[in-house]
Amino acid sequence: MNQAVATATTTAVAVDAEPYPYILRLQSTVLLVIDMQRDFLETGGFGDALGNDVSLLRATIDPMRAVMAAARAAGMTVIHTREGHRPDLSDLSAAKYRRGNFPTRIGDRGPMGRILVRGEAGHDIIAELAPIPGEPVIDKPGKGAFYATDLEAILSSRGITHLIVCGVTTEVCVHTTVREANDRGFDCLVLSDCTGSYFPELHEAALAMIKAQGGIFGWVAPSSALLEALPAA
Ligand code: TIU
């Protein structure tokens, strides 16, 4: 590593965020991309089976692509998560299976294979945001990325203290993960245009909850604020 890069990775970066600037160091920050899977963003997957308009989430793709490129160029680690279950559904609780009483359920066959099952096409991360070699992918059976996964061990072994969180959906898996992370002592910045919901009003409410009360769960900023703050490659 040359001197310029060494200096850049240890220098504090300030992001113009709410409720006040978010200060990070590149070497102790991860970009955490939650559940950008075909099952949530394409027709015939889990989101669709729950009765949602999946096209509402697709506005996050372009800004997220730019953020992932900038993070990689700045030397920040990118970690991806996927919500899903073992093919025998042995890690699927009866409560999660039954919830909603919909005709199509987790494990049923759909146009992209079995819904929310690992190894099926619908479980894959969308091609536009595919992980690059070396980036950890965390498979999670729940809504939170810390529940029943090795995410905390991976973050701790790398000395990570700060998480920049994006993905879907804002009020479900993103929010659950931010709450889990907050209680574990991580400082979270949620990118408003890189998170999305099937319910725009819940997206807004979820972001408001994060930054309320002095940032009770963390910080919120548009991706433009992060892009301005990150050092160029
Ligand atoms: N239904 C919904 O909004 N979300 C989920 O079921 N999982 C995630 O948020 N990833």
Side-chain angles (χ1 to χ4, degrees), residues 86-189:
R86 292 171 179 259
D88 65 1
L89 304 185
S90 56
D91 58 354
L92 174 63
S93 70
K96 185 174 178 184
Y97 178 72
R98 283 194 308 261
R99 190 68 52 80
N101 210 19
F102 293 103
T104 308
R105 294 168 188 257
I106 296 170
D108 287 351
R109 208 157 279 288
M112 294 187 290
R114 294 178 66 206
I115 289 176
L116 233 57
V117 169
R118 295 177 191 157
E120 302 286 338
H123 181 260
D124 275 350
I125 293 171
I126 58 171
E128 296 92 322
L129 302 178
I132 62 173
E135 289 178 350
V137 178
I138 309 286
D139 281 327
K140 64 189 190 53
K143 304 305 181 195
F146 288 85
Y147 169 67
T149 72
D150 54 6
L151 176 60
E152 192 166 12
I154 290 173
L155 297 175
S156 146
S157 72
R158 293 169 187 234
I160 300 299
T161 55
H162 286 57
L163 304 178
I164 299 176
V165 188
C166 47
V168 298
T169 62
T170 322
E171 78 280 13
V172 182
C173 290
V174 171
H175 226 267
T176 305
T177 298
V178 168
R179 287 170 182 241
E180 288 180 327
N182 187 60
D183 277 347
R184 286 168 173 77
F186 294 95
D187 281 327
C188 294
L189 169 66

Side-chain angles (χ1 to χ4, degrees), residues 4-231:
V5 172
T7 303
T9 57
T10 51
T11 302
V13 171
V15 181
D16 185 11
E18 292 182 286
Y20 55 91
Y22 177 80
I23 312 293
L24 66 94
R25 284 183 170 73
L26 294 172
Q27 80 276 11
S28 53
T29 304
V30 148
L31 178 68
L32 187 60
V33 184
I34 304 289
D35 300 357
M36 290 300 288
Q37 296 161 259
R38 300 183 68 194
D39 258 328
F40 294 109
L41 289 117
E42 295 182 10
T43 306
F46 186 57
D48 191 25
L50 296 178
N52 299 306
D53 174 4
V54 295
S55 69
L56 279 165
L57 304 188
R58 301 192 64 84
T60 60
I61 298 173
D62 282 346
M64 217 181 291
R65 194 161 27 193
V67 163
M68 282 166 60
R72 287 168 180 152
M76 196 186 292
T77 299
V78 180
I79 297 182
H80 309 256
T81 71
R82 300 185 294 203
E83 179 177 352
H85 297 276
R86 292 171 179 259
D88 65 1
L89 304 185
S90 56
D91 58 354
L92 174 63
S93 70
K96 185 174 178 184
Y97 178 72
R98 283 194 308 261
R99 190 68 52 80
N101 210 19
F102 293 103
T104 308
R105 294 168 188 257
I106 296 170
D108 287 351
R109 208 157 279 288
M112 294 187 290
R114 294 178 66 206
I115 289 176
L116 233 57
V117 169
R118 295 177 191 157
E120 302 286 338
H123 181 260
D124 275 350
I125 293 171
I126 58 171
E128 296 92 322
L129 302 178
I132 62 173
E135 289 178 350
V137 178
I138 309 286
D139 281 327
K140 64 189 190 53
K143 304 305 181 195
F146 288 85
Y147 169 67
T149 72
D150 54 6
L151 176 60
E152 192 166 12
I154 290 173
L155 297 175
S156 146
S157 72
R158 293 169 187 234
I160 300 299
T161 55
H162 286 57
L163 304 178
I164 299 176
V165 188
C166 47
V168 298
T169 62
T170 322
E171 78 280 13
V172 182
C173 290
V174 171
H175 226 267
T176 305
T177 298
V178 168
R179 287 170 182 241
E180 288 180 327
N182 187 60
D183 277 347
R184 286 168 173 77
F186 294 95
D187 281 327
C188 294
L189 169 66
V190 178
L191 298 180
S192 52
D193 53 337
C194 295
T195 48
S197 169
Y198 303 117
F199 307 95
E201 69 279 16
L202 297 186
H203 171 79
E204 293 304 328
L207 296 180
M209 279 185 239
I210 287 165
K211 66 188 178 189
Q213 304 183 69
I216 196 81
F217 296 124
W219 287 255
V220 176
S223 59
S224 56
L226 178 67
L227 296 178
E228 275 165 34
L230 284 182

